[in-house]
Amino acid sequence: MEKSITPARTADAATHLPDGASSGVTSARHQGKHDALTGLSDRCAIRARIDSALQRSRSNKSSTALLLIDINGFKLVNHTHGQEIGDLLLMTVASRLQGQIRQGESAGRLGDNEFVVLCEQVGQAATMSLLAERINDILRQPVVIAGLTLSVTASVGIVVDSDGTQTANDMLRHADAAVQAVKARGDGGWQFFSAHIHEPAQQRMKIASGLSMALARNEFSPHFQAIVVADSGRIVGAELLLRWNPPEGPVSPTVFIPIAEMTGAIIEIGAWVFRQACLAEANWRRRWGEQAPYVSVNVSTRQLNDETLVDMFAAALRETGADPTRLLLEITETALMADIDKNLNVLHRLADLGLRLAIDDFGTGYSSLAQLTRMPVNVLKVDKAFVDNIDKDPESRAVIRAVLSMGRALGLKLVAEGVENSDQQAELCAHGCDFIQGYHFHRPLPEAAFVDTVEREIRDGALGAAIPLHFIIYVSTTPAPMTRPAFDALLKQARSFNRTVGITGCLIYQDCCFMQMLEGKKEVVEALMEKVKLDPRHCDVRTVVEGPARRRAFVDWSMNFLDLTPRPDEPDFTQWQGRAISLTELAEDARTCYKYMTAYMGRS
Ligand code: C2E
Ligand code: MG
Ligand code: MG
């Protein structure tokens, strides 16, 4: 009979074993091996059950199906709320699965966040998708545990054996390939296994076996991508990016690094990479002295879990003579936060060696300010995804702005990754970003080419990609006093125009006078000034001061606006006023005007 557990009943799971799971304990115990937490069949028992189901289906010419259910984001629940809550969630999942199964079906837990449902005598394979839908629906129902409302989704891989040719291992492997395909789609849901989705799995196997021989065959090489000062473009560091060139052709690190992490090959490869970074640091310092670029090197969390890591890094530093303070270890934010307490201990030991630490791909994970302050971190590398849209998308700009101000408050250096054009560079400079890495300046290069680039820069002087940022302050008068609706219309029009052309600034109105500051690319600011001069709302337009600006005073992609017209609720200044000074008179003193305008920074 189909059972279902309502959220209200699940709430009891906070303190008790869920009912369904406890009945699972009883039945699974009769079978032999069971999972201690959920009472469902464990991996070993599941394998045996699949094998006997396949045997039966061969003799009675029926089909067997296996659904592999992977609970999405489970690690995050464990990490955020603790293992106890995670365990209770798994028990609830087990209970809900038990509630969905019928005669001829059984549920089990493979381990971690993976469950299975085995179905015998399957008539139409398509009915398995209905079961997968049902499972997805029931798991999606919120779970209330210890006062917390959690929601989970699942990725379900389905494999059906209709001719008795598969083994339990095949079924599990194929179901896993289908789960991976669901995950790759990124939308949860379900997927049947087909030979087609098996291709990537085979590809992964091929890469894994190639990787195991790559070091011995000398197929790896370090490339270096320059990291430059945000406004001048001067090279200050370089990130070591690993390249793999097997005889079949190059494979991207985005493909082979995750596989190396999965198989554990990353331990040996990472040791080799760190040694290359040490050799580069020592060589470059011999060549260029203290002016030499620092070396940034990626370290995966799988390496952090290796007990020999710290000793091995210490030995590499000793043997190569590298200066640890000029080496920066990059660890991705998501990996770091997955098990912060465990990683923290290793990070402190690495920092004790003198190594500096960076959080890579920052902004994609979930670090809180509190967590950041606990870590011996020196640098935040802002993920390319936020840089990509900085000149278009207000959300990316907000993230960059927040990261920059948080980094500054914590005394961290900021590196923006993936900068591809001068608009992005100008924006990042305007927000006070320290360093930049991206194709706009340099691509990853083999070491010899990177050395040539630095040599050229030293010979020619710093490259200095100057940012063409310009500011202007002007005053004008209005033909008649401005009404509020007229202000609003002006403001709306100006804001939308300035946002599209990248102008920031501030507009002040008082007693029929405007004072305005505009900042942006020189040609854009000048073009806008021409428009202002032709605008009937501005008379006697007079420039107070203009020139190059190192940074924007106003960070918003639009104008700030201040109406200084006296309000009825403000104090009466008439008896304090010797002589009214208008904005046009104030314009005699450029410095005061500049101070006056920029005092309104951050207001709108
Ligand atoms: P990452 O550490 O975030 O490195 C930055 C990636 O962005 C590099 O990709 C780099 O080539 C690319 N990139 C830099 N500037 C630009 C740009 O302006 N536009 C675009 N489109 N891309 C840009 P790559 O070399 O393919 O490396 C990918 C990832 O592989 C790295 O991301 C890192 O996570 C990992 N990786 C690379 N080498 C190693 C290594 O030795 N060890 C470990 N554990 N991971 C590595
Ligand atoms: Mg990196
Ligand atoms: Mg990165």
Side-chain angles (χ1 to χ4, degrees), residues 475-489:
V475 285
S476 64
T477 56
T478 55
M482 286 289 258
T483 61
R484 188 70 219 192
F487 276 138
D488 290 342

Side-chain angles (χ1 to χ4, degrees), residues 354-376:
L355 292 162
R356 298 188 317 131
L357 299 170
I359 303 188
D360 203 356
D361 303 344
F362 192 79
T364 57
Y366 300 91
S367 17
S368 68
L369 197 60
Q371 283 165 330
L372 275 182
T373 52
R374 284 168 68 204
M375 280 189 285

Side-chain angles (χ1 to χ4, degrees), residues 281-294 323 326 458:
E281 195 289 320
N283 282 341
W284 297 353
R285 197 158 28 86
R286 260 193 301 277
R287 194 187 266 267
W288 298 306
E290 290 307 305
Q291 297 306 305
Y294 70 82
D323 176 353
R326 299 167 57 84
I458 291 170

Side-chain angles (χ1 to χ4, degrees), residues 239 298 330 360 381 417:
E239 176 172 6
N298 294 285
E330 297 189 7
D360 203 356
K381 293 193 77 174
E417 294 188 295

Side-chain angles (χ1 to χ4, degrees), residues 104-395:
E105 298 174 353
S106 52
R109 180 176 171 226
L110 287 182
D112 293 336
N113 56 337
E114 286 183 339
F115 294 82
V116 291
V117 170
L118 178 66
C119 309
E120 292 193 53
Q121 311 244 11
V122 173
Q124 291 285 322
T127 57
M128 290 299 100
S129 61
L130 298 177
L131 176 59
E133 286 279 357
R134 253 194 2 250
I135 289 175
N136 254 323
D137 285 347
I138 194 78
L139 294 184
R140 225 176 273 132
Q141 303 284 319
V143 186
V144 183
I145 299 176
L148 288 167
T149 304
L150 303 172
S151 306
V152 293
T153 58
S155 300
V156 184
I158 311 168
V159 56
V160 181
D161 176 86
S162 48
D163 53 6
T165 54
Q166 301 198 26
T167 63
N169 271 348
D170 291 338
M171 295 279 277
L172 286 164
R173 211 156 33 83
H174 292 167
D176 184 55
V179 164
Q180 297 313 321
V182 177
K183 286 182 173 273
R185 262 190 350 232
D187 57 356
W190 52 268
Q191 163 90 47
F192 276 97
F193 169 79
S194 73
H196 168 69
I197 55 168
H198 202 39
E199 273 166 27
Q202 272 171 347
Q203 185 68 10
R204 276 202 301 275
M205 296 258 293
K206 219 169 119 197
I207 289 174
S209 99
L211 278 174
S212 65
M213 294 172 289
L215 270 176
R217 291 179 174 173
N218 220 2
E219 291 169 351
F220 286 125
S221 62
H223 273 43
F224 293 90
Q225 186 180 23
I227 296 164
V228 304
V229 175
D231 50 10
S232 70
R234 185 171 57 83
I235 296 175
V236 286
E239 176 172 6
L240 190 162
L241 293 161
L242 187 58
R243 295 292 177 258
W244 180 30
N245 259 302
E248 304 78 44
V251 183
S252 160
T254 54
V255 174
F256 74 77
I257 293 285
I259 297 173
E261 286 173 345
M262 208 169 66
T263 62
I266 194 71
I267 304 290
E268 213 188 332
I269 296 171
W272 183 85
V273 165
F274 183 73
R275 205 180 170 77
Q276 298 304 307
C278 290
L279 288 170
E281 195 289 320
N283 282 341
W284 297 353
R285 197 158 28 86
R286 260 193 301 277
R287 194 187 266 267
W288 298 306
E290 290 307 305
Q291 297 306 305
Y294 70 82
V295 184
S296 225
V297 55
N298 294 285
V299 176
S300 87
T301 36
R302 183 80 190 250
Q303 289 173 267
L304 293 184
N305 294 338
D306 173 28
E307 280 168 14
T308 63
L309 179 87
V310 180
D311 290 342
M312 188 265 290
F313 275 15
L317 287 167
R318 233 182 3 257
E319 285 158 24
T320 56
D323 176 353
T325 64
R326 299 167 57 84
L327 283 161
L328 183 68
L329 305 182
E330 297 189 7
I331 301 156
T332 60
E333 185 186 24
T334 29
L336 199 56
M337 295 303 156
D339 195 345
I340 177 120
D341 292 319
K342 197 156 147 213
N343 291 334
L344 209 55
N345 172 34
V346 190
L347 292 189
H348 279 289
R349 290 176 59 209
L350 291 170
D352 288 344
L353 291 180
L355 292 162
R356 298 188 317 131
L357 299 170
I359 303 188
D360 203 356
D361 303 344
F362 192 79
T364 57
Y366 300 91
S367 17
S368 68
L369 197 60
Q371 283 165 330
L372 275 182
T373 52
R374 284 168 68 204
M375 280 189 285
V377 171
N378 313 84
V379 173
L380 296 182
K381 293 193 77 174
V382 185
D383 193 62
K384 180 176 185 307
F386 304 105
V387 172
D388 275 348
N389 293 321
I390 188 168
D391 44 348
K392 298 176 212 101
D393 168 30
E395 230 170 80

